[in-house]
Amino acid sequence: MTILDRFRVDGRTAIVTGASSGLGVAFAQALAEAGADVALGARRAERLGSTRELVEAAGRRAIAVPTDVSVPEDCDRLVQEAIEAFGKVDILVNNAGVGTARPALKETPEEFRAVIDVDLTGSFILAKAALPLLARAEHPALIFVSSLAGIRGRPGAAHLCAAKAGVIGLARSLAMDLYPHGIRVNAIAPGPVQDVERGEPSPLPPGAPADVGISRPADVANVALFLAS
Ligand code: NAP
Protein backbone atom coordinates (compact mmCIF):
# COMPACT_ATOMS: atom_id res chain seq x y z
CA MET A 1 0.00 0.00 0.00
CA THR A 2 1.30 3.46 -0.89
CA ILE A 3 0.00 6.83 0.19
CA LEU A 4 -1.62 7.17 -3.26
CA ASP A 5 -3.99 4.32 -2.39
CA ARG A 6 -5.66 6.72 0.05
CA PHE A 7 -6.57 9.12 -2.75
CA ARG A 8 -9.37 7.33 -4.60
CA VAL A 9 -12.00 8.79 -6.91
CA ASP A 10 -13.87 5.56 -7.66
CA GLY A 11 -17.08 6.02 -9.60
CA ARG A 12 -16.53 9.72 -10.18
CA THR A 13 -16.38 11.52 -13.51
CA ALA A 14 -13.68 14.01 -14.40
CA ILE A 15 -13.25 16.48 -17.22
CA VAL A 16 -9.61 17.21 -18.07
CA THR A 17 -8.68 19.88 -20.59
CA GLY A 18 -5.40 20.08 -22.43
CA ALA A 19 -5.53 16.29 -22.38
CA SER A 20 -3.75 15.85 -25.69
CA SER A 21 -0.22 16.27 -24.31
CA GLY A 22 2.00 16.90 -21.30
CA LEU A 23 0.38 17.40 -17.92
CA GLY A 24 -3.14 16.84 -19.23
CA VAL A 25 -2.26 13.26 -20.16
CA ALA A 26 -0.79 12.73 -16.67
CA PHE A 27 -3.91 14.18 -14.99
CA ALA A 28 -6.19 11.92 -17.03
CA GLN A 29 -4.08 8.84 -16.33
CA ALA A 30 -3.79 9.51 -12.58
CA LEU A 31 -7.54 10.09 -12.22
CA ALA A 32 -8.34 6.96 -14.25
CA GLU A 33 -5.93 4.82 -12.22
CA ALA A 34 -7.65 6.13 -9.08
CA GLY A 35 -11.06 5.09 -10.41
CA ALA A 36 -12.56 7.96 -12.42
CA ASP A 37 -14.07 8.00 -15.89
CA VAL A 38 -12.62 10.88 -17.87
CA ALA A 39 -13.89 13.26 -20.56
CA LEU A 40 -10.89 14.58 -22.44
CA GLY A 41 -10.83 18.00 -24.10
CA ALA A 42 -8.26 19.69 -26.37
CA ARG A 43 -8.13 20.76 -29.99
CA ARG A 44 -6.13 17.85 -31.48
CA ALA A 45 -8.54 14.93 -31.83
CA GLU A 46 -5.90 12.39 -32.82
CA ARG A 47 -3.78 13.07 -29.73
CA LEU A 48 -6.87 12.87 -27.54
CA GLY A 49 -7.43 9.38 -28.95
CA SER A 50 -4.08 8.26 -27.51
CA THR A 51 -5.00 9.62 -24.07
CA ARG A 52 -8.36 7.86 -24.32
CA GLU A 53 -6.50 4.58 -24.83
CA LEU A 54 -4.43 5.23 -21.68
CA VAL A 55 -7.59 5.82 -19.62
CA GLU A 56 -9.20 2.68 -21.04
CA ALA A 57 -6.03 0.70 -20.30
CA ALA A 58 -6.54 1.72 -16.66
CA GLY A 59 -9.97 0.08 -16.83
CA ARG A 60 -12.03 3.27 -16.94
CA ARG A 61 -14.28 4.83 -19.57
CA ALA A 62 -13.15 7.82 -21.61
CA ILE A 63 -14.53 10.12 -24.27
CA ALA A 64 -12.47 12.45 -26.42
CA VAL A 65 -14.17 15.72 -27.34
CA PRO A 66 -12.30 18.12 -29.62
CA THR A 67 -12.55 21.40 -27.73
CA ASP A 68 -11.18 24.91 -27.94
CA VAL A 69 -11.64 26.18 -24.38
CA SER A 70 -11.76 29.78 -25.55
CA VAL A 71 -14.98 29.01 -27.46
CA PRO A 72 -18.08 28.88 -25.19
CA GLU A 73 -19.97 26.53 -27.56
CA ASP A 74 -17.08 24.05 -27.42
CA CYS A 75 -17.07 24.14 -23.62
CA ASP A 76 -20.83 23.58 -23.52
CA ARG A 77 -20.43 20.61 -25.86
CA LEU A 78 -17.64 19.08 -23.75
CA VAL A 79 -19.83 19.25 -20.64
CA GLN A 80 -22.86 17.97 -22.53
CA GLU A 81 -20.99 14.99 -23.96
CA ALA A 82 -19.59 14.16 -20.52
CA ILE A 83 -23.14 14.12 -19.15
CA GLU A 84 -24.43 11.98 -22.02
CA ALA A 85 -21.59 9.48 -21.59
CA PHE A 86 -21.29 9.33 -17.80
CA GLY A 87 -24.41 11.00 -16.35
CA LYS A 88 -22.52 13.43 -14.10
CA VAL A 89 -19.44 15.58 -13.59
CA ASP A 90 -17.63 15.50 -10.23
CA ILE A 91 -14.20 16.88 -11.08
CA LEU A 92 -12.99 19.53 -13.50
CA VAL A 93 -9.28 19.97 -14.16
CA ASN A 94 -8.84 23.23 -16.08
CA ASN A 95 -5.39 22.56 -17.51
CA ALA A 96 -5.38 23.76 -21.14
CA GLY A 97 -2.75 26.40 -21.70
CA VAL A 98 -0.55 28.08 -24.27
CA GLY A 99 2.36 30.44 -23.92
CA THR A 100 5.64 30.48 -25.75
CA ALA A 101 8.59 32.59 -24.63
CA ARG A 102 8.15 36.07 -26.12
CA PRO A 103 9.56 39.34 -24.78
CA ALA A 104 6.71 41.65 -23.76
CA LEU A 105 8.12 44.57 -25.73
CA LYS A 106 7.87 42.57 -28.95
CA GLU A 107 4.43 41.24 -28.23
CA THR A 108 1.33 42.56 -29.96
CA PRO A 109 -1.92 43.06 -28.04
CA GLU A 110 -3.42 40.26 -30.17
CA GLU A 111 -0.66 37.83 -29.14
CA PHE A 112 -1.11 38.79 -25.49
CA ARG A 113 -4.88 38.41 -25.72
CA ALA A 114 -4.58 34.99 -27.35
CA VAL A 115 -2.84 33.60 -24.25
CA ILE A 116 -5.28 35.25 -21.84
CA ASP A 117 -8.15 33.88 -23.94
CA VAL A 118 -7.06 30.28 -23.42
CA ASP A 119 -5.32 30.15 -20.03
CA LEU A 120 -7.58 32.53 -18.13
CA THR A 121 -10.84 33.21 -19.97
CA GLY A 122 -11.04 29.61 -21.23
CA SER A 123 -10.71 28.33 -17.64
CA PHE A 124 -13.54 30.65 -16.59
CA ILE A 125 -15.79 29.68 -19.51
CA LEU A 126 -15.49 25.95 -18.87
CA ALA A 127 -15.81 26.31 -15.10
CA LYS A 128 -19.02 28.26 -15.65
CA ALA A 129 -20.37 25.65 -18.06
CA ALA A 130 -19.64 22.85 -15.58
CA LEU A 131 -20.85 24.58 -12.40
CA PRO A 132 -24.49 23.43 -12.50
CA LEU A 133 -23.27 19.83 -12.72
CA LEU A 134 -20.56 20.21 -10.10
CA ALA A 135 -23.16 21.68 -7.76
CA ARG A 136 -25.13 18.42 -8.05
CA ALA A 137 -22.12 16.17 -7.43
CA GLU A 138 -21.49 14.46 -4.10
CA HIS A 139 -17.80 15.45 -3.81
CA PRO A 140 -17.25 18.19 -6.40
CA ALA A 141 -13.76 19.51 -7.05
CA LEU A 142 -12.79 22.33 -9.37
CA ILE A 143 -9.05 22.43 -10.02
CA PHE A 144 -7.22 25.11 -11.96
CA VAL A 145 -3.69 24.79 -13.29
CA SER A 146 -1.77 28.00 -12.69
CA SER A 147 2.02 28.20 -12.60
CA LEU A 148 4.86 29.32 -10.37
CA ALA A 149 5.35 31.93 -13.11
CA GLY A 150 2.00 33.41 -12.08
CA ILE A 151 3.30 33.97 -8.56
CA ARG A 152 6.89 35.04 -9.18
CA GLY A 153 6.87 36.30 -12.75
CA ARG A 154 9.30 35.07 -15.38
CA PRO A 155 11.33 36.93 -18.01
CA GLY A 156 9.95 36.74 -21.53
CA ALA A 157 6.54 35.51 -20.45
CA ALA A 158 4.41 38.51 -19.46
CA HIS A 159 1.37 37.00 -21.18
CA LEU A 160 1.70 33.68 -19.36
CA CYS A 161 2.51 35.27 -15.99
CA ALA A 162 -0.48 37.63 -16.26
CA ALA A 163 -2.80 34.78 -17.25
CA LYS A 164 -1.56 32.46 -14.51
CA ALA A 165 -1.75 35.17 -11.83
CA GLY A 166 -5.30 35.73 -13.06
CA VAL A 167 -6.04 32.04 -12.67
CA ILE A 168 -5.03 32.23 -9.00
CA GLY A 169 -7.36 35.20 -8.46
CA LEU A 170 -10.13 33.39 -10.31
CA ALA A 171 -9.69 30.27 -8.16
CA ARG A 172 -9.60 32.26 -4.92
CA SER A 173 -12.74 34.19 -5.81
CA LEU A 174 -14.65 31.12 -7.00
CA ALA A 175 -13.62 29.26 -3.85
CA MET A 176 -15.49 31.92 -1.87
CA ASP A 177 -18.46 32.02 -4.25
CA LEU A 178 -18.84 28.25 -4.44
CA TYR A 179 -18.14 27.24 -0.86
CA PRO A 180 -21.86 27.54 0.01
CA HIS A 181 -22.56 25.07 -2.81
CA GLY A 182 -20.06 22.55 -1.41
CA ILE A 183 -17.68 22.91 -4.35
CA ARG A 184 -14.00 22.81 -3.40
CA VAL A 185 -11.87 25.06 -5.59
CA ASN A 186 -8.07 24.91 -5.78
CA ALA A 187 -5.30 26.02 -8.08
CA ILE A 188 -2.03 24.16 -8.58
CA ALA A 189 1.02 26.28 -9.40
CA PRO A 190 3.73 23.94 -10.69
CA GLY A 191 7.30 24.98 -11.24
CA PRO A 192 9.06 23.60 -14.31
CA VAL A 193 7.77 20.20 -15.35
CA GLN A 194 9.76 17.61 -17.21
CA ASP A 195 8.80 17.25 -20.87
CA VAL A 196 8.40 13.49 -21.06
CA GLU A 197 7.96 13.50 -24.81
CA ARG A 198 11.44 14.92 -25.28
CA GLY A 199 12.93 12.31 -22.96
CA GLU A 200 14.97 12.84 -19.86
CA PRO A 201 16.75 14.62 -18.45
CA SER A 202 15.00 17.68 -19.86
CA PRO A 203 16.70 21.05 -19.49
CA LEU A 204 15.21 23.86 -17.43
CA PRO A 205 13.15 26.12 -19.70
CA PRO A 206 14.64 29.57 -20.37
CA GLY A 207 14.07 31.89 -17.43
CA ALA A 208 13.11 29.06 -15.09
CA PRO A 209 13.96 29.76 -11.44
CA ALA A 210 17.21 28.15 -10.37
CA ASP A 211 16.02 27.34 -6.84
CA VAL A 212 13.30 24.88 -7.74
CA GLY A 213 13.64 21.39 -9.13
CA ILE A 214 11.96 19.94 -12.19
CA SER A 215 8.82 17.98 -11.37
CA ARG A 216 7.72 14.88 -13.19
CA PRO A 217 4.23 15.14 -14.71
CA ALA A 218 3.08 12.31 -12.43
CA ASP A 219 4.10 14.32 -9.33
CA VAL A 220 1.90 17.23 -10.40
CA ALA A 221 -0.90 14.85 -11.37
CA ASN A 222 -0.80 13.30 -7.90
CA VAL A 223 -1.37 16.75 -6.38
CA ALA A 224 -4.49 17.09 -8.54
CA LEU A 225 -5.57 13.61 -7.49
CA PHE A 226 -5.16 14.53 -3.82
CA LEU A 227 -7.26 17.66 -4.33
CA ALA A 228 -9.91 15.74 -6.28
CA SER A 229 -10.15 12.87 -3.80
P1 NAP B 1 1.51 21.26 -23.31
O1 NAP B 1 2.14 19.92 -23.39
O2 NAP B 1 1.83 22.27 -24.36
O3 NAP B 1 -0.05 21.06 -23.21
C1 NAP B 1 -0.95 22.11 -23.34
C2 NAP B 1 -2.31 21.51 -23.59
O4 NAP B 1 -3.27 22.55 -23.73
C3 NAP B 1 -2.34 20.68 -24.86
O5 NAP B 1 -3.06 19.49 -24.62
C4 NAP B 1 -3.10 21.57 -25.84
O6 NAP B 1 -3.84 20.74 -26.73
C5 NAP B 1 -4.04 22.29 -24.89
N1 NAP B 1 -4.56 23.53 -25.46
C6 NAP B 1 -3.87 24.59 -25.93
N2 NAP B 1 -4.71 25.53 -26.40
C7 NAP B 1 -5.97 25.03 -26.21
C8 NAP B 1 -7.27 25.51 -26.49
N3 NAP B 1 -7.48 26.72 -27.05
N4 NAP B 1 -8.33 24.73 -26.17
C9 NAP B 1 -8.16 23.52 -25.60
N5 NAP B 1 -6.94 23.01 -25.32
C10 NAP B 1 -5.86 23.77 -25.62
O7 NAP B 1 1.84 21.97 -21.93
P2 NAP B 1 1.94 21.40 -20.44
O8 NAP B 1 3.32 21.63 -20.01
O9 NAP B 1 1.35 20.05 -20.32
O10 NAP B 1 1.03 22.48 -19.70
C11 NAP B 1 -0.25 22.17 -19.20
C12 NAP B 1 -0.66 23.27 -18.23
O11 NAP B 1 0.28 23.33 -17.18
C13 NAP B 1 -0.66 24.66 -18.88
O12 NAP B 1 -1.74 25.39 -18.36
C14 NAP B 1 0.67 25.23 -18.41
O13 NAP B 1 0.67 26.64 -18.39
C15 NAP B 1 0.77 24.64 -17.02
N6 NAP B 1 2.14 24.58 -16.49
C16 NAP B 1 3.11 23.90 -17.15
C17 NAP B 1 4.40 23.88 -16.63
C18 NAP B 1 5.52 23.16 -17.34
O14 NAP B 1 6.69 23.33 -16.97
N7 NAP B 1 5.24 22.32 -18.33
C19 NAP B 1 4.68 24.56 -15.44
C20 NAP B 1 3.65 25.24 -14.80
C21 NAP B 1 2.37 25.24 -15.33
P3 NAP B 1 -4.22 21.10 -28.24
O15 NAP B 1 -3.02 21.77 -28.85
O16 NAP B 1 -4.54 19.75 -28.80
O17 NAP B 1 -5.42 21.98 -28.15
Side-chain angles (χ1 to χ4, degrees):
M1 176 142 174
T2 73
I3 192 164
L4 284 180
D5 294 320
R6 297 175 58 188
F7 305 140
R8 298 294 308 177
V9 284
D10 295 293
R12 298 188 208 169
T13 296
I15 293 177
V16 177
T17 65
S20 60
S21 67
L23 279 177
V25 177
F27 289 136
Q29 194 169 8
L31 287 163
E33 285 171 357
D37 297 321
V38 191
L40 308 159
R43 292 164 306 174
R44 289 170 293 171
E46 203 180 295
R47 299 283 301 253
L48 284 178
S50 311
T51 314
R52 186 178 60 207
E53 285 170 15
L54 281 177
V55 172
E56 288 169 351
R60 304 307 313 177
R61 297 176 293 170
I63 56 167
V65 186
T67 306
D68 182 335
V69 294
S70 65
V71 177
E73 294 76 16
D74 280 21
C75 291
D76 289 342
R77 193 175 60 242
L78 174 57
V79 170
Q80 188 57 38
E81 294 203 17
I83 278 294
E84 282 167 16
F86 308 126
K88 63 196 180 100
V89 174
D90 306 279
I91 301 159
L92 169 58
V93 184
N94 253 322
N95 165 69
V98 286
T100 46
R102 199 163 50 213
L105 293 180
K106 293 193 175 157
E107 190 163 53
T108 65
E110 289 71 29
E111 287 170 331
F112 187 89
R113 255 190 221 114
V115 176
I116 302 289
D117 271 357
V118 175
D119 288 52
L120 179 55
T121 313
S123 293
F124 167 72
I125 294 171
L126 184 57
K128 194 161 174 244
L131 279 185
L133 300 162
L134 289 172
R136 277 189 248 147
E138 204 179 341
H139 303 290
L142 173 52
I143 298 168
F144 293 92
V145 179
S146 176
S147 169
L148 186 61
I151 299 172
R152 290 189 181 183
R154 185 199 296 168
H159 47 1
L160 176 76
C161 295
K164 294 303 190 182
V167 166
I168 292 172
L170 174 63
R172 286 198 163 126
S173 177
L174 286 182
M176 295 170 193
D177 287 343
L178 301 178
Y179 173 72
H181 302 278
I183 301 175
R184 286 174 297 111
V185 184
N186 289 278
I188 302 173
V193 181
Q194 201 170 55
D195 183 343
V196 282
E197 285 168 28
R198 275 200 228 132
E200 47 188 316
S202 35
L204 276 172
D211 61 335
V212 294
I214 305 180
S215 306
R216 294 173 303 163
D219 298 330
V220 182
N222 287 337
V223 174
L225 176 59
F226 163 67
L227 294 171
S229 70

